[in-house]
Amino acid sequence: MSRNFASTAPALAANTFARPQSAPMYSSTGLDVWTMMNQVAASVDAVNLGQGFMSFPPKDFIKRAAQEAFTEDANNQYAPPRGRPRLLEQLAARFAEKLGRPIDPGSEVSVHAGANEALLSAFTAFLEHGKGQEAILIEPAFDQYTPNVLMAGGKPVYVPLRVCASKDPATNTISSSDWKLDYTELEAAITANTRILVLNTPHNPVGKVFARDELEAIATIAQRHNLLVISDEVYEHLTYATDHVSIATLPGMWERTITVGSAGKLFGVTGWRVGWAIGPAELIHPTLSAHTRIVFTTNTPLQEGVASAFVQATSNGFFDSQRVEYERRRDRLMAIFDDVGLPYVVPDGAYYLLVNAAAIKIPDTYEFPDFIKERGPNFKLVYFFIKEFGVSGIPPTEFYSAEHKALANDYIRFAFCKTDEGLEDASKRLQKLKLYLQSSS
């Protein structure tokens, strides 16, 4: 005999049961800065100089390397968690030359799902939940560092770079080397709970390439307080008239440094999501263990594609020609802002230009949407720039803790990993900017 359960079950009010609640860290429904500014840019068909993706295609040999990898049947199955042997060997050879020491591909290298996952794995491996352990972040700090530290159970502690007191960035173009780390301030931030110091060189968004003497001062502090240094060096191949030095090459630092890199930045293929960590076996083993539990393994075919691209790049001069191309783009973007009269920070590395827009006068009656107003004056500045001039950037206050956001209120970050046509279009659109300079009347 069949029963009609619908008719016999008691009627339940729509909200009888409590609703599942997310963790506070993930409960915000606000847009991330990248999505937000991309949507604003799309609304006016702006030239996108905001997010750091390349608007030009990868070189043909890089694309072919991936295409050929997909045709091998074995490349469509799981890779070992540490990484594909061919890529491990290429990375070991590259970093042996860069760091001036032999690198064991079987114990001192791990391949990750992008540099960001390498960072998360390192934080997870060396921070414990519930212990109040701290990681020092040098601001401006890439916006993934803070949530990664929190996800790993750590507490982020912030120490900002500061512009030399003798410089006036609101009226004069300055060098990225004019942004300095106060070592007294850094050491004062270290406590008995500090476990990690995160270094980013070449730096996003400042473009600073830390000089050897600066790295030596940081190394001395790290050794004195027994800190692990996680060195984010994803832009190590993009420096202009200055040398990139890995802190792991300094005396006593190989033993306490994990160096993180990225194929996305190295070969202009940010969608491939292949990164790596390099360091002594004692540091890479726990990092690999965390990686195995976070994603298990990195996609196989693109690991093989990166390995093939490395082999070819060593003989076809790719990295040298790429550096020349990026320096030309950098110089063109700087010339554009010279022409319209805004000062900026000359980057010695990476592919970003910090422009100081303090001279821009936004009309007092200008209307901003609530989602912009609630994020503060720097978001208003960038929104105005996009809406009125049709050129998008990123508000660098997103790279700061609440305590230090004011240091970036006058800046906009632009990326020059863009086509020549895009830069020229930006140049034309920015001519309108001259009407809003406070010096004009």
Side-chain angles (χ1 to χ4, degrees):
M1 175 178 167
S2 63
R3 298 180 61 188
N4 187 339
F5 288 98
S7 62
T8 59
L12 296 175
N15 56 356
T16 296
F17 299 110
R19 304 291 178 86
Q21 297 294 313
S22 64
M25 181 176 172
Y26 305 103
S27 61
S28 172
T29 56
L31 290 175
D32 65 272
V33 65
W34 317 104
T35 303
M36 179 188 296
M37 292 305 164
N38 283 341
Q39 288 183 357
V40 175
S43 72
V44 293
D45 195 25
V47 178
N48 193 337
L49 303 186
Q51 197 167 1
F53 63 84
M54 294 73 185
S55 63
F56 47 84
K59 299 298 183 184
D60 287 343
F61 82 91
I62 298 171
K63 292 188 289 185
R64 282 196 302 270
Q67 292 164 352
E68 292 169 1
F70 277 103
T71 66
E72 294 291 332
D73 290 343
N75 291 344
N76 292 287
Q77 305 305 324
Y78 291 125
R82 182 180 293 276
R84 294 285 289 184
R86 189 180 182 211
L87 180 54
L88 294 170
E89 290 165 4
Q90 286 298 314
L91 290 168
R94 176 176 174 81
F95 280 89
E97 181 178 354
K98 288 176 60 63
L99 302 182
R101 61 177 300 116
I103 303 291
D104 182 353
S107 64
E108 296 177 331
V109 184
S110 57
V111 177
H112 295 263
N116 187 47
E117 189 263 311
L119 291 164
L120 176 60
S121 293
F123 291 135
T124 301
F126 290 94
L127 294 171
E128 291 186 72
H129 284 263
K131 297 290 185 69
Q133 295 177 348
E134 299 168 350
I136 294 196
L137 308 181
I138 299 171
E139 294 181 308
F142 181 52
D143 71 330
Q144 289 282 17
Y145 294 165
T146 290
N148 279 2
V149 169
L150 293 171
M151 288 169 67
K155 174 187 175 182
V157 176
Y158 305 97
V159 179
L161 295 171
R162 300 182 188 273
V163 175
C164 294
S166 61
K167 304 290 183 178
D168 182 5
T171 58
N172 295 290
T173 290
I174 64 173
S175 170
S176 56
S177 63
D178 291 324
W179 291 62
K180 300 292 187 181
L181 181 64
D182 184 323
Y183 306 116
T184 301
E185 188 176 6
L186 172 61
E187 196 145 24
I190 297 172
T191 71
N193 289 327
T194 308
R195 296 292 183 270
I196 295 172
L197 187 154
V198 180
L199 176 68
N200 178 207
T201 181
H203 188 276
N204 170 20
V206 174
K208 178 182 178 67
V209 179
F210 282 78
R212 181 176 292 275
D213 63 322
E214 294 176 305
L215 295 175
E216 288 172 344
I218 293 169
T220 297
I221 293 171
Q223 293 177 37
R224 182 156 56 233
H225 295 278
N226 189 28
L227 303 183
L228 167 67
V229 173
I230 299 178
S231 190
D232 181 352
E233 301 183 15
V234 298
Y235 302 101
E236 45 96 359
H237 60 300
L238 291 175
T239 58
Y240 316 110
T242 190
D243 293 328
H244 166 67
V245 178
S246 290
I247 195 169
T249 62
L250 301 185
M253 289 306 295
W254 164 255
E255 296 80 5
R256 63 177 63 253
T257 302
I258 296 173
T259 302
V260 173
S262 163
K265 300 299 192 294
L266 202 63
F267 291 108
V269 287
T270 57
W272 287 19
R273 310 307 297 151
V274 176
W276 48 80
I278 310 292
E282 294 77 12
L283 302 182
I284 295 301
H285 176 73
T287 300
L288 175 60
S289 295
H291 158 80
T292 304
R293 295 308 169 207
I294 294 170
V295 296
F296 179 59
T297 187
T298 305
N299 79 84
T300 301
L302 293 179
Q303 286 193 59
E304 289 294 329
V306 172
S308 177
F310 267 127
V311 171
Q312 297 176 72
T314 58
S315 60
N316 65 14
F318 168 72
F319 295 122
D320 289 336
S321 62
Q322 182 189 54
R323 184 179 296 109
V324 171
E325 290 175 9
Y326 273 82
E327 187 166 12
R328 177 179 55 78
R329 293 186 181 100
R330 179 200 69 158
D331 293 349
R332 179 63 188 120
L333 188 57
M334 292 192 301
I336 290 170
F337 283 102
D338 285 334
D339 176 59
V340 298
L342 287 184
Y344 49 83
V345 180
V346 179
D348 288 330
Y351 47 63
Y352 305 103
L353 190 72
L354 271 185
V355 173
N356 192 302
I360 295 290
K361 173 60 176 174
I362 300 176
D364 294 337
T365 57
Y366 198 84
E367 292 289 332
F368 294 97
D370 289 342
F371 71 88
I372 290 293
K373 287 191 290 188
E374 68 188 13
R375 302 294 286 269
N378 191 229
F379 275 67
K380 289 182 179 180
L381 175 64
V382 176
Y383 179 88
F384 178 79
F385 222 90
I386 298 172
K387 283 289 193 177
E388 296 305 313
F389 310 137
V391 178
S392 72
I394 291 294
T397 52
E398 197 70 4
F399 294 70
Y400 283 88
S401 59
E403 178 184 1
H404 299 133
K405 281 185 186 295
L407 294 172
N409 273 341
D410 294 332
Y411 290 97
I412 304 176
R413 191 200 79 168
F414 296 99
F416 53 86
C417 51
K418 307 298 178 180
T419 63
D420 293 342
E421 293 79 9
L423 295 177
E424 293 311 312
D425 191 3
S427 177
K428 295 173 184 176
R429 294 176 182 225
L430 288 172
Q431 294 304 307
K432 183 181 176 183
L433 180 155
K434 298 175 182 179
L435 301 174
Y436 292 89
L437 294 179
Q438 296 197 61
S439 58
S440 63
S441 56

